[in-house]
Amino acid sequence: MQQTVNIIKVGGNIIDNESKLTTFLTDFAQLKGLKVLIHGGGKVATEISKGLGIEAKMVDGRRITDTETLKIVTMVYAGLINKNLVAKLQSKGCNAIGLTGADANIIPAHKRPVKEIDYGFVGDVEEEKMDGVVLSALLKSGLSPILAPLTHDQQGNMLNTNADTIASTVAVSLSKHFNVNLIYCFEKDGVLDAEEKVIQEISKPYFAELKEKGVVIAGMIPKLDNAFAAIDKGVSSVYIMHADGLPTLINDSKNTGTKIS
Amino acid sequence: MQQTVNIIKVGGNIIDNESKLTTFLTDFAQLKGLKVLIHGGGKVATEISKGLGIEAKMVDGRRITDTETLKIVTMVYAGLINKNLVAKLQSKGCNAIGLTGADANIIPAHKRPVKEIDYGFVGDVEEEKMDGVVLSALLKSGLSPILAPLTHDQQGNMLNTNADTIASTVAVSLSKHFNVNLIYCFEKDGVLDAEEKVIQEISKPYFAELKEKGVVIAGMIPKLDNAFAAIDKGVSSVYIMHADGLPTLINDSKNTGTKIS
């Protein structure tokens, strides 16, 4: 039987909050089995940019990664956030190793082509090139990879990259070697229905029905689309849930949040 | 026969100079065999500190790593410098993986005890705890580790750490698994004699003689002391040389710079 790997993505709301982060890292360190953490950016990059007098560049409400912003996110995501997560997890007995997509070329990408908007140094992941071999070897040797939301263009430049995308592409590449659960942690208990109650399980036909009825909020639709895409490509299950539920889901094997299958 | 690993340390003078850095990385990528790179910090950390209005704290001419400075060096060394080196090496066909001492706990350390001076968040490496197992596995899988001058205190904090010390302790730990050459690159052609000519080889008795005669400049003595200590602990040879000589030494197997044996 294939070993299971849990791939957990946490967003900036946990990274930015010291008490939430401590709880999360204590839980993560104690999760049974093989695990990968993908972290978002948080507000620190914006604060450091402001401190250095670098204005956030926005075009049509979208953030642009220019040369100066790329330096900041590389420093903050791969340096400050990633290494502090690693040091804290190490102190809690989790043998963490912090990486970006450039390290060991685990996530090849290219600069997003300029169409209506030039996003600057933003990476589109080349999922078809990912074989999961290096991450698989690290996991099998007892390490827990901690991934920052950065890739590289294979021509010498780092690229700012969406953490949800990194989580799903890493999950797909590892599904060639393991039974993979992909878990998106966010600030709610799961996908909510019209009565604000957690929907326990969403299948593809049920998702179509929910979309038609307008039950699922707009912001959740791309997350769910990505979740179904990951499942189509070999991931066993995707969960969208509150980080507090991780020990229940993984250590007690009890479903919590919303399961996409 | 044991495989050979070349452990190369480059200082800030190369990191800070774009054209020197490009030459160095092109050479490093083409070096034959297994290799590890340890990089220093350079001036970027000082510039970013200034930009953020953080004053460098000095006590008796020694730089102190306070909380704010620790954030800066973690960002700059592990983020900006390390990941740009990795992305550039990847683009040159070298399968680089960027790490700090906290990652996979490769370099356990503790905060330097306060004696006359409180250096702040500065790491003293716990060399006796280093087994070289993780780095050895990475090297054997075809990866080239690129190490930033940072360790961790095993209690959740990163620590600013001398790059020369990281180079020598990593060399000693890897000498349990490989035949190890430790190569310090700097801006001169080697250790110079009274006529400014490179001394090709220094043995322990010859070093004692040079020190007695006052031939070796004061700044070079701790480097040479460290070199002999590394050899006593299992490293095969230590070289002190110009970075430009690396292809000659490693690819052509011709001695260059100063060999300590």
Side-chain angles (χ1 to χ4, degrees), chain B residues 9-11 162-165 168 182-187 191 207 216-230 238-241 260:
Chain B
K9 190 257 165 175
V10 280
N162 182 277
D164 284 357
T165 307
S168 66
L182 170 59
I183 302 161
Y184 290 103
C185 293
F186 78 143
E187 65 279 13
V191 181
F207 179 43
V216 180
I217 54 162
M220 192 55 73
I221 292 174
K223 259 193 164 57
L224 287 167
D225 280 332
N226 279 336
F228 284 112
V238 181
Y239 294 85
I240 297 182
M241 55 182 274
I260 291 103

Side-chain angles (χ1 to χ4, degrees), chain A residues 45-66:
Chain A
T46 314
E47 284 163 20
I48 305 259
S49 292
K50 272 190 197 164
L52 288 169
I54 298 163
E55 295 265 327
K57 291 240 171 78
M58 310 289 280
V59 174
D60 293 345
R62 306 281 203 138
R63 184 182 292 269
I64 307 300
T65 306
D66 60 6

Side-chain angles (χ1 to χ4, degrees), chain B residues 61-128:
Chain B
R62 304 282 203 141
R63 184 182 291 270
I64 305 301
T65 306
D66 60 6
T67 310
E68 289 306 307
T69 306
L70 179 66
K71 282 186 191 168
I72 302 285
V73 298
T74 304
M75 291 201 295
V76 174
Y77 300 168
L80 193 61
I81 297 177
N82 191 270
K83 296 313 163 192
N84 277 311
L85 292 179
V86 168
K88 290 200 171 100
L89 286 169
Q90 284 287 346
S91 76
K92 294 173 191 292
C94 170
N95 204 355
I97 181 167
L99 301 169
T100 68
D103 297 295
N105 193 28
I106 49 176
I107 311 171
H110 57 259
K111 191 169 174 290
R112 183 168 299 169
V114 178
K115 289 179 186 164
E116 293 87 47
I117 300 177
D118 180 359
Y119 287 94
F121 292 98
V122 165
D124 283 338
V125 173
E126 299 185 358
E127 197 178 323
E128 69 289 355

Side-chain angles (χ1 to χ4, degrees), chain A residues 17 22 55 73 87 103 108 111-112 122 130 138 148 156 181 192 227 229:
Chain A
N17 182 311
T22 302
E55 295 265 327
V73 298
D103 296 297
K111 191 168 175 285
R112 183 168 299 168
V122 165
M130 291 169 68
L138 295 176
N181 297 319
L192 306 180

Side-chain angles (χ1 to χ4, degrees), chain B residues 142-178:
Chain B
L143 294 166
S144 297
I146 312 300
L147 306 181
L150 294 161
T151 59
H152 71 136
D153 67 359
Q154 306 162 81
Q155 294 173 46
N157 303 297
M158 295 299 291
L159 295 168
N160 195 2
T161 307
N162 182 277
D164 284 357
T165 307
I166 290 189
S168 66
T169 52
V170 163
V172 169
S173 73
L174 283 174
S175 69
K176 293 165 193 161
H177 310 272
F178 300 98

